[in-house]
């Protein structure tokens, strides 16, 4: 009889959780302090894609005495989270490692690499494509009747939220891929119910985007649809190659029964 993973007592679980959270928090705080000195340059990098749409050649304005410090700290922490992203993901997955079977643990390395890649890919896509389209449309709604005041906190908050939103949204293919290859959801069901899934992705795109711009919502929707279909395509190839074409209809119970018969 195969031996499952050893169970860890509750206090050991809590101790392990505290240790990993401490590592994440310390890494983020130390990186924030280091990055803080470079925040003036980083702020210019953030607004560079939308500079052409901003008044006064992209000059930002702070309206409170503590506004500059608060903004710099937010930007430093934003970049610290990005820099520490691999550590955060690795420590999070590492906490769940003891609960995984040996056959499942081999997926951890590729999963960390895929999570990091997709997160950065989403942020780069947002920086190169989304920011210009979003701010171009939003500021154009104002220019016809009022002058735009470039409040630094408002602009930077919107940019960072968009970047994080797209970074997280681009993790969708990995979620779909694992749902399918572990037969938590049958491939056939997800393929046949595409209309409902598309509507759900549209609603999710509207919720995740931090602005009320239809441009941002539909651009995110288009991006996640492409990623969704790509994940289905890849999962189908893996399922057929591993378990045969009949596995596309399997439920979780049918998959476990197949694995038991193989063993």
């Amino acid at each position: 009889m195969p031996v499952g993973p050893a169970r860890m007592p509750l206090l050991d679980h809590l101790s392990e959780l505290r240790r990993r959270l401490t590592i994440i928090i310390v890494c983020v705080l130390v990186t924030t302090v280091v990055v803080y000195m470079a925040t003036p340059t980083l702020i210019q990098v953030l607004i560079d894609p939308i500079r052409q749409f901003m008044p006064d050649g992209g000059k930002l304005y702070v309206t409170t005495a503590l506004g500059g410090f608060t903004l710099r700290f937010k930007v430093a922490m934003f970049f610290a989270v990005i820099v520490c992203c691999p550590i955060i993901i690795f420590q999070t997955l590492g906490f769940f490692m003891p609960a995984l079977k040996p056959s499942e643990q081999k997926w951890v390395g590729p999963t960390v690499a895929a999570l990091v890649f997709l997160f950065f890919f989403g942020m780069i896509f947002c920086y190169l494509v989304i920011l210009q389209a979003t701010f171009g449309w939003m500021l154009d709604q104002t220019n016809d009747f009022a002058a735009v005041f470039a409040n630094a906190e408002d602009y930077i908050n919107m940019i960072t939220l968009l970047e994080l939103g797209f970074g997280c949204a681009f993790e969708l293919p990995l979620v779909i891929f694992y749902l399918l290859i572990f037969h938590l959801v049958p491939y056939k069901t997800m393929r046949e119910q595409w209309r409902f899934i598309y509507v759900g992705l549209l609603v999710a795109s509207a919720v995740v985007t931090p602005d009320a711009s239809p441009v941002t919502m539909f651009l995110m929707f288009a991006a996640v649809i492409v990623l969704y279909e790509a994940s289905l395509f890849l999962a189908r190839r893996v399922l057929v190659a591993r378990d045969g074409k009949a596995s596309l209809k399997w439920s979780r119970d049918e998959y476990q029964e197949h694995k038991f018969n193989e063993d």
Side-chain angles (χ1 to χ4, degrees):
M1 179 181 294
V3 179
R7 294 188 176 181
M8 187 183 296
L10 177 60
L11 291 179
D12 289 344
H13 270 297
L14 295 176
S15 177
E16 178 69 7
L17 177 61
R18 182 181 62 183
R19 185 181 72 84
R20 293 188 179 277
L21 285 176
T22 300
I23 293 173
I24 292 173
I25 292 171
V26 170
C27 287
V28 171
L29 289 179
V30 171
T31 307
T32 299
V33 173
V34 174
V35 172
Y36 181 86
M37 302 305 297
T39 47
T41 301
L42 294 175
I43 289 172
Q44 295 304 312
V45 171
L46 283 176
I47 68 171
D48 193 58
I50 64 170
R51 196 181 301 275
Q52 59 182 311
F53 306 111
M54 297 173 61
D56 302 328
K59 188 174 182 180
L60 295 172
Y61 295 90
V62 175
T63 57
T64 63
L66 291 176
F69 169 76
T70 303
L71 185 62
R72 290 184 65 176
F73 183 78
K74 286 182 179 178
V75 171
M77 182 163 285
F78 169 73
F79 278 97
V81 170
I82 295 174
V83 171
C84 296
C85 176
I87 297 174
I88 295 172
I89 293 174
F90 180 79
Q91 293 296 329
T92 302
L93 291 178
F95 176 72
F96 295 101
M97 278 282 286
L100 300 178
K101 299 176 182 178
S103 60
E104 296 171 336
Q105 290 180 1
K106 66 181 182 180
W107 292 91
V108 172
T111 299
V112 171
L115 283 170
V116 172
F117 171 78
L118 289 170
F119 182 77
F120 282 109
F121 181 59
M123 296 191 71
I124 292 171
F125 176 78
C126 178
Y127 186 80
L128 296 178
V129 178
I130 302 300
L131 291 183
Q132 286 192 6
T134 298
F135 277 87
W137 186 86
M138 288 194 297
L139 294 177
D140 188 57
Q141 307 310 301
T142 305
N143 291 331
D144 291 337
F145 66 91
V148 177
F149 178 77
N151 181 280
E153 186 174 4
D154 178 55
Y155 274 65
I156 297 302
N157 284 346
M158 184 64 68
I159 291 172
T160 53
L161 286 174
L162 284 170
E163 290 285 337
L164 291 175
F166 273 84
C168 294
F170 271 52
E171 304 291 357
L172 174 68
L174 199 62
V175 176
I176 300 299
F177 179 76
Y178 279 131
L179 287 175
L180 293 176
I181 66 167
F182 290 127
H183 295 280
L184 298 173
V185 179
Y187 174 90
K188 183 181 178 182
T189 300
M190 196 164 284
R191 182 73 282 173
E192 291 178 346
Q193 302 298 323
W194 65 271
R195 295 176 182 84
F196 299 103
I197 293 172
Y198 277 26
V199 171
L201 292 176
L202 179 61
V203 173
S205 298
V207 172
V208 170
T209 48
D211 61 322
S213 164
V215 175
T216 311
M217 181 184 71
F218 283 110
L219 284 174
M220 176 174 280
F221 176 62
V224 296
I225 288 298
V226 171
L227 294 169
Y228 171 76
E229 291 295 338
S231 62
L232 284 185
F233 174 77
L234 180 60
R236 178 187 173 90
R237 293 179 64 89
V238 172
L239 288 171
V240 172
R242 187 188 67 184
D243 302 319
K245 203 166 185 178
S247 65
L248 299 177
K249 302 178 182 179
W250 287 352
S251 65
R252 178 66 178 175
D253 291 338
E254 290 171 324
Y255 171 66
Q256 290 179 331
E257 182 181 353
H258 172 77
K259 295 294 291 182
F260 177 79
N261 292 334
E262 276 190 342
D263 297 336

